[in-house]
Amino acid sequence: DAGVIQSPRHEVTEMGQEVTLRCKPISGHNSLFWYRQTMMRGLELLIYFNNNVPIDDSGMPEDRFSAKMPNASFSTLKIQPSEPRDSAVYFCASSLAGGNEQFFGPGTRLTVL
Amino acid sequence: DAKTTQPPSMDCAEGRAANLPCNHSTISGNEYVYWYRQIHSQGPQYIIHGLKNNETNEMASLIITEDRKSSTLILPHATLRDTAVYYCIVRAYLISNFGNEKLTFGTGTRLTIIP
């Protein structure tokens, strides 16, 4: 298995632009997680899905952030409009529902100028 | 979920055992201890987890005190590739597929393996 796949690996954009991050979980996994990592705040959970349904979005910072999971093999995290403070590494992870191990992707490094 | 306390950094000589401590004095009876690590520029990686018995796998051993208020992750023969940030996390046991699967990462311990 290729593991969790994220794209793009790097994204540089200007303030105000829309940004879409993509994630393909490991086949057969039915839980998917989006995390954000910054130097100031560390690694934070933004939202997670179980069987394509959002279970906990309490970590989503504000309305500019939205996440979708239209099917079991694809999820997006969208930021509109983007701001410089959104600059971070965004990780996607997947697991079997209730599983003990979350498998993380390589991350997307986002820079908003 | 209970909070954890870890030293911010540690050094260990290559080939020696690395012992990483974690305090979780407010842990509840239904909470497990999980360890993840994050090698520079990579996503976190699961290492091991346990409830109250000591656990061992191909990567590490986990020693949990009898009162469960603290634990130690042991890397038996540290190599340079073990240089990473190690996170100790406490999470409730999931009794169904729809429990709270959140992992709350703290600041972790930055382990440096010295050649």
Side-chain angles (χ1 to χ4, degrees), chain A residues 40-94:
Chain A
M40 291 295 294
R41 300 178 64 89
L43 194 61
E44 309 172 278
L45 177 69
L46 300 177
I47 185 172
Y48 84 90
F49 296 83
N50 183 278
N51 290 327
N52 312 337
V53 176
I55 302 300
D56 185 343
D57 64 355
S58 60
M60 295 287 266
E62 50 198 271
D63 291 346
R64 297 185 298 106
F65 285 69
S66 63
K68 294 182 180 180
M69 193 163 186
N71 57 62
S73 59
F74 184 66
S75 177
T76 60
L77 178 67
K78 184 177 296 185
I79 308 172
Q80 166 65 16
S82 59
E83 298 181 2
R85 60 187 167 132
D86 302 330
S87 297
V89 180
Y90 292 79
F91 289 103
C92 177
S94 72

